[in-house]
Every structure is written in C-alpha cells, then in structure tokens.
Amino acid sequence: MDLRRVKNEDKLDLCRKYWIGGCFFLPFLWCINSIWFFSEAFRKSPYEQQRQIRSYVIKSMIGSLLWTGALVSWICVFQLKRAEWGPTADILSFVIPTGIP
C-alpha cells in the first residue's frame, strides 16, 4: 500500500489498528507500525492527525523494543540454564538434544 495515496484519516485508523493488534501479543505488528509510519509521524509537514499517529508510533517503538528485550533475555537464560533445569527444560523444549549436557 502506498501511504501517499491514502487519506490522513485512513492512515490514523490503520496505525491505530496495528497498535491494537500489537497489544494482543503480536509485537511484530508494533515493529511494522513504527517502521511504516515513522516518516508520516516525524518527517511530513504537520497535519491534524499527525499528533495521534506520532503517539502510536512512539508506543509501538517502545513496545517492540520491550518485547525484543524480553525475548532475547528469555532465549539467553534458557540456553544457559537448560541443562540445570533438567526435566522441566525438556518439557519446555520442542527438540530434546541427545547426549551429555
């Protein structure tokens, strides 16, 4: 979709939908929202809906950064502590490695 051809009201509605979608545990939508609407929020000349779009873009950036940080932290902890957790970690794993931990 080319945002240059979309009305400002529709841009705001789409940005809001992406932000709400991210709230339902789809943080990838926040990342897409912040990238896609960044220029609309910060680089375009001011228009009426820009302030609301900017707030959704900022919230989307913060949310996607928090989710990314939480995901990276969980991956690091799980990879480092998997052997110590024993059967509990095996239950959490999709692929159970064979051999000596």
Side-chain angles (χ1 to χ4, degrees):
M1 177 189 298
D2 188 6
L3 288 178
R4 292 175 291 186
R5 297 181 182 184
V6 179
K7 291 186 271 183
N8 292 335
E9 296 83 19
D10 295 336
K11 290 177 193 176
L12 176 61
D13 187 48
L14 184 62
C15 188
R16 181 183 303 121
K17 286 178 183 177
Y18 273 47
W19 184 75
I20 291 171
C23 290
F24 289 106
F25 300 109
L26 299 170
F28 184 68
L29 287 179
W30 281 338
C31 184
I32 297 299
N33 196 26
S34 60
I35 292 170
W36 201 14
F37 285 100
F38 184 82
S39 63
E40 288 291 325
F42 296 104
R43 294 183 181 161
K44 298 278 181 165
S45 58
Y47 55 93
E48 184 180 344
Q49 293 83 6
Q50 187 179 29
R51 188 176 61 86
Q52 290 175 305
I53 290 175
R54 183 177 293 152
S55 72
Y56 286 124
V57 169
I58 291 171
K59 291 175 191 176
S60 295
M61 286 179 187
I62 292 170
S64 62
L65 288 174
L66 289 175
W67 267 94
T68 301
L71 184 64
V72 168
S73 298
W74 166 248
I75 290 170
C76 290
V77 166
F78 186 76
Q79 292 296 320
L80 294 173
K81 302 290 184 177
R82 189 199 63 78
E84 294 175 19
W85 292 347
T88 304
D90 291 340
I91 292 170
L92 296 174
S93 295
F94 288 114
V95 178
I96 300 173
T98 57
I100 301 172

